[in-house]
Amino acid sequence: MSLEAKDLYAALMHELKNNLGLLAMAMERIPRQETEVHDRSLDDARLLCQQVIERLRQSLLLYKTADRAMPIEVDAYSPLEFLHEVRDETTSLARGRLQVSAAVDDEVPPIWFFDRNLVDIALTNAIHNSLAYARSRIDIRAGMTDGMLCITVSDDSDGYPAHLLNALSLDAPLGSGGTGLGLQLSQMIAQAHSNRGRTGELRLANVPGAAFSILLP
């Protein structure tokens, strides 16, 4: 692909993402009618719109890493403030259908160094998966695991399919579509974080619902 074509591709992706953002804002102004068929259909359409925006966001990130390492901009952030922002966005998307909670363990330092935008992309992928499959709740938690900041998104769904858990344990490809594609990108984001010879990790578990954890050194 020529340089001009690549630039045009990126510009078109940005335009699509921005237009979908405007569509999402317009949908927010559609009033609820307190009828299950209308309100659930509207909520599903809003969530689908956000999922497409997120896929475009991920596509732009992958475009930037096509011929070089993933760009990463590490800075100091408050895990507590970050989790509260993630919780508030998740609550907005859940539309009262699910209980959303966030907690930060006492052992977590007030400041940690990471790329906020990249970690947000990884967590948003996990949250969209939970919004689609959770029965009643989504829990977001930050703690310390093996000396790394561990942010976990868990729910009360049926959990991850066995083939995804096996693929991650064997360091094999996680799939080329749907949940597997998002997890593949999340793993790249985790591994882009490194500090003092340690590299970030992605961990999945069923406890018994799905538990997505990104570990940041």
Side-chain angles (χ1 to χ4, degrees), residues 83 103-105 107-109 141-145 148-152:
L83 249 67
V104 176
D105 292 350
E107 61 188 356
V108 173
R141 190 175 196 91
M144 299 300 296
T145 299
M148 294 189 280
L149 176 65
C150 176
I151 303 178
T152 299

Side-chain angles (χ1 to χ4, degrees), residues 25-37:
M25 292 173 61
M27 293 176 68
E28 289 292 334
R29 294 194 291 269
I30 299 175
R32 300 175 70 85
Q33 296 183 357
E34 304 304 327
T35 61
E36 183 175 356
V37 172

Side-chain angles (χ1 to χ4, degrees), residues 168-180:
L168 187 65
S169 67
L170 297 171
D171 199 23
L174 291 166
S176 59
T179 301

Side-chain angles (χ1 to χ4, degrees), residues 46-162:
R46 285 168 171 155
L47 179 57
L48 178 60
C49 188
Q50 290 296 331
Q51 289 172 333
V52 175
I53 291 172
E54 192 59 28
R55 276 290 184 256
L56 287 171
R57 188 182 176 198
Q58 295 171 0
S59 297
L60 284 166
L61 176 60
L62 289 173
Y63 167 81
K64 293 177 181 178
T65 64
D67 52 5
R68 58 185 183 275
M70 179 173 288
I72 182 168
E73 298 180 3
V74 172
D75 208 339
Y77 296 100
S78 163
L80 178 63
E81 292 180 2
F82 179 53
L83 249 67
H84 283 176
E85 292 173 6
V86 173
R87 178 203 59 196
D88 292 346
E89 178 63 25
T90 306
T91 300
S92 176
L93 291 173
R95 299 282 170 182
R97 295 188 296 108
L98 302 169
Q99 179 182 353
V100 180
S101 68
V104 176
D105 292 350
D106 293 339
E107 61 188 356
V108 173
I111 295 294
W112 201 260
F113 290 85
F114 57 94
D115 186 314
R116 187 193 183 288
N117 180 58
L118 291 183
V119 175
D120 182 63
I121 289 175
L123 293 179
T124 299
N125 172 72
I127 286 165
H128 282 180
N129 189 67
S130 291
L131 287 167
Y133 296 107
R135 294 184 177 90
S136 63
R137 64 172 180 82
I138 299 174
D139 301 316
I140 309 164
R141 190 175 196 91
M144 299 300 296
T145 299
D146 299 335
M148 294 189 280
L149 176 65
C150 176
I151 303 178
T152 299
V153 176
S154 59
D155 59 44
D156 57 353
S157 67
D158 289 335
Y160 289 109

